[in-house]
Amino acid sequence: SMSLREHALSLFRSAVSTVRPAPMLKRAVKFQGDGCPQLLVKGQAFPVKRDLYLVGFGKAVLGMAAAAEEILGDHLVRGIINVPLGIQDSLQRAGMQEMLLKPHSKIQVIEGAKNNLPDPEALKGAVAIQQLAEGLTADDLLLVLISGGGSALLPAPIPPILLKEKEKLTKMLASRGATIQELNTVRKTLSLLKGGGLARLAYPAQVVSLILSDVIGDPLDIIASGPTVASSHSVQDCLQILTKYNLLHNLPKSVETVLSSSPTKPTAPEDYSHVCNVIIGSNTLALDEAKRQAEGLGYTTLILSTAICGEVSRVAVLYCQLVQLVCLGLASLGEGPLSEEVRGNLLHLAAELEILGLNLAEFLQALQGLGPKRPVCILAGGETTVQLQGTGKGGRNQELALRVGLELHRAQAMETSSPLRRCEIVFLSGGTDGQDGPTEAAGAFCSPKLVEEALQEGLDVEAFLSNNDSYTFFSRFQGGHHLLVTGLTGTNVMDIQAILIRAI
């Protein structure tokens, strides 16, 4: 029979492949070419009266564009996409031909945003996209492909603001402690394309956006800064933020000019009725697929949340307590003082982490209903954060796996008759884009035995953790066997965690 580890790996892979660009697009988009040609998106029909154009920006957009061109065929007149620097090379080297455009493609590819920062190349691409959008008529259809990382790839400051002036202002705000929401509000206000700008410029053409979400809760106005979504912010909000951080009096002249000129009435209708935004891939979709697979393998499966966030050390404690609770249930000790204590800890932690849409009481209720015999799989997704203290090499997923291993070890050490000893447990955490931090791993596996086995090899888990050196630890431990290495996936819907537990 397959090991828990092999099961965890296969669940992760099936979750990722369901949100790969080609299968995802082919599920959501069809094209009917005969008679009056129309684009069908999740069953909704958009007639193509004249010409069909395509633009896109983001880390997963190259693969999305290759699939879209295959679906649209000759109906596509022209396209422009902005993708990260070096991505065509990386995919070529990884042998992922299906993510690359065909030799005589009608889609022009512009690479930019080195290190995920706006740069002159990205600006060049944004200007080309802007010009294409401005030239459209009421009979044209613009298909927009959007994925995470799209924000840095679509910089187009409102003239006369220069890219470096906008960058400097953003840096000043960040250094004074502005939140990501505040930074985005200011960026959008000074941008031609963000905050619905692209959709306004494309009016009166029909705009259809296909979106791959890499943001918790899938908020349309946040993903890639919402170029096809009405902005909920005004110039007033921007001025308030600049006042709050005491920047109103040393703004570049160009920024002052833009903020003080009365906003010219946009030509597009305020209701954005010419736009349709569709999320075609998300963490939720990936987890639903993993759940289907896990149930097929015989696991009782529960999805905890698709919005796991917070510091890895706290999230690790949350997962460890959950594992303890499941093990108590599998050992038929689901009622009793220990179980009550663990439950209390969990509710306290969940409140502290403020995880969106996590109804822990309901989740614990479902856990209680599980029979003692069947193996259990708990799935979750989201994006944790790491507070850097050391100078080691790692990523949030590897650090989370290592911390869960340490927590399980501590919990087991506290009681000789620990229910953890009666269960086989595997925990996996991985980034769906196939990269975790600056390493070639996507994440890592752990089990309660990890700390002891590491000590036998002379590796001190706590020392590696205090130096944020999870990657070095996993590389040295058991020949790197616990690293999750998938290679680039060409997609990104944040991270996925899986906990698999069976009674021994």
Side-chain angles (χ1 to χ4, degrees):
S1 72
M2 281 168 84
S3 67
L4 289 193
R5 181 199 151 96
E6 286 165 326
H7 281 172
L9 181 60
S10 107
L11 296 181
F12 181 78
R13 291 216 154 119
S14 64
V16 170
S17 54
T18 203
V19 289
R20 284 205 164 182
M24 195 173 61
L25 246 102
K26 287 174 183 157
R27 271 200 311 273
V29 182
K30 305 269 178 286
F31 194 84
Q32 284 184 342
D34 35 285
C36 171
Q38 48 182 7
L39 187 68
L40 297 172
V41 179
K42 287 198 169 174
Q44 204 175 339
F46 300 95
V48 180
K49 298 178 195 139
R50 204 180 87 161
D51 290 338
L52 178 60
Y53 295 91
L54 177 151
V55 297
F57 28 89
K59 294 178 180 176
V61 159
L62 190 61
M64 288 166 80
E69 188 162 33
E70 207 172 299
I71 294 165
L72 304 173
D74 291 337
H75 293 277
L76 178 64
V77 176
R78 167 167 178 243
I80 303 171
I81 58 172
N82 253 12
V83 295
L85 190 68
I87 191 161
Q88 294 178 94
D89 248 13
S90 303
L91 292 170
Q92 188 85 49
R93 279 202 307 274
M96 295 170 76
Q97 290 334 98
E98 75 282 3
M99 300 261 182
L100 296 167
L101 295 170
K102 300 280 178 287
H104 303 292
S105 169
K106 289 179 186 162
I107 300 172
Q108 176 192 358
V109 180
I110 296 171
E111 293 192 358
K114 189 178 178 183
N115 301 327
N116 206 15
L117 295 167
D119 59 10
E121 287 310 305
L123 179 59
K124 197 176 89 184
V127 170
I129 287 173
Q130 174 197 338
Q131 288 167 344
L132 186 150
E134 286 172 333
L136 302 178
T137 71
D139 289 339
D140 293 322
L141 191 149
L142 179 66
L143 187 62
V144 184
L145 308 176
I146 301 176
S147 78
S151 204
L153 287 159
L154 201 66
I158 299 173
I161 302 174
L162 300 171
L163 184 60
K164 48 176 192 285
E165 292 176 318
K166 190 174 156 189
E167 282 305 280
K168 191 175 161 197
L169 180 59
T170 313
K171 280 205 180 86
M172 272 160 53
L173 275 167
S175 70
R176 294 185 184 196
T179 66
I180 185 72
Q181 286 79 10
E182 290 172 326
L183 289 173
N184 281 340
T185 302
V186 173
R187 273 193 200 125
K188 279 187 206 179
T189 313
L190 304 177
S191 169
L192 271 176
L193 300 174
K194 293 175 175 147
L198 178 61
R200 281 198 301 276
L201 292 176
Y203 182 78
Q206 170 76 57
V207 177
V208 180
S209 283
L210 306 178
I211 301 166
L212 177 63
S213 169
D214 69 332
V215 182
I216 282 178
D218 308 334
L220 289 173
D221 59 326
I222 305 281
I223 302 163
S225 301
T228 55
V229 185
S231 176
S232 46
H233 304 294
S234 64
V235 170
Q236 222 32 58
D237 297 323
C238 180
L239 290 169
Q240 258 173 339
I241 293 166
L242 294 170
T243 308
K244 175 178 167 183
Y245 293 104
N246 225 348
L247 286 169
L248 212 46
H249 302 297
N250 48 3
L251 291 176
K253 199 94 209 96
S254 58
V255 175
E256 274 180 27
T257 308
V258 167
L259 289 175
S260 61
S261 63
S262 60
T264 46
K265 266 277 157 262
T267 44
E270 281 310 301
D271 64 356
Y272 280 67
S273 53
H274 65 301
V275 184
C276 177
N277 290 300
V278 187
I279 290 195
I280 61 169
S282 64
N283 192 273
T284 307
L285 274 164
L287 287 184
D288 287 344
E289 178 58 25
K291 179 176 197 254
R292 235 173 42 83
Q293 299 280 342
E295 284 169 345
L297 291 168
Y299 288 85
T300 302
T301 310
L302 296 170
I303 293 179
L304 178 65
S305 163
T306 57
I308 298 290
C309 58
E311 229 287 305
V312 281
S313 54
R314 303 306 290 149
V315 176
V317 176
L318 177 83
Y319 283 140
C320 176
Q321 302 277 340
L322 270 177
V323 169
Q324 283 185 318
L325 205 55
V326 173
C327 292
L328 284 164
L330 288 175
S332 306
L333 300 168
E335 310 299 322
L338 182 58
S339 181
E340 282 314 302
E341 184 191 336
V342 173
R343 232 173 266 271
N345 290 346
L346 269 170
L347 289 165
H348 181 80
L349 253 174
E352 177 200 321
L353 287 165
E354 293 181 348
I355 291 163
L356 193 83
L358 169 59
N359 184 338
L360 197 64
E362 199 176 287
F363 184 82
L364 296 178
Q365 197 60 45
L367 263 187
Q368 261 180 320
L370 303 181
K373 292 289 162 269
R374 290 182 65 192
V376 175
C377 170
I378 296 174
L379 297 166
E383 200 154 278
T384 55
T385 45
V386 174
Q387 296 257 283
L388 286 177
Q389 267 123 19
T391 54
K393 193 172 175 189
R396 58 181 183 258
N397 290 288
Q398 294 163 77
E399 179 146 336
L400 178 59
L402 195 49
R403 286 190 181 279
V404 168
L406 181 61
E407 290 298 331
L408 290 172
H409 168 75
R410 286 177 179 161
Q412 209 169 358
M414 269 164 57
E415 300 179 43
T416 41
S417 63
S418 165
L420 292 176
R421 294 177 191 277
R422 305 188 201 177
C423 290
E424 192 187 344
I425 302 154
V426 162
F427 173 85
L428 158 92
S429 186
T432 53
D433 58 356
Q435 283 177 310
D436 187 33
T439 74
E440 83 273 12
F445 298 87
C446 80
S447 71
K449 299 202 228 14
L450 177 111
V451 175
E452 270 171 49
E453 290 174 350
L455 274 175
Q456 288 162 10
E457 293 188 28
L459 300 171
D460 174 358
V461 168
E462 292 188 52
F464 282 98
L465 279 172
S466 61
N467 192 30
N468 298 111
D469 207 10
S470 52
Y471 176 74
T472 308
F473 169 83
F474 282 117
S475 306
R476 291 188 195 163
F477 176 58
Q478 295 184 353
H481 179 66
H482 285 66
L483 280 172
L484 169 66
V485 181
T486 60
L488 276 183
T489 61
T491 189
N492 179 19
V493 292
M494 301 183 290
D495 303 334
I496 286 175
Q497 282 99 41
I499 306 173
L500 275 54
I501 304 171
R502 65 177 167 211
I504 300 171

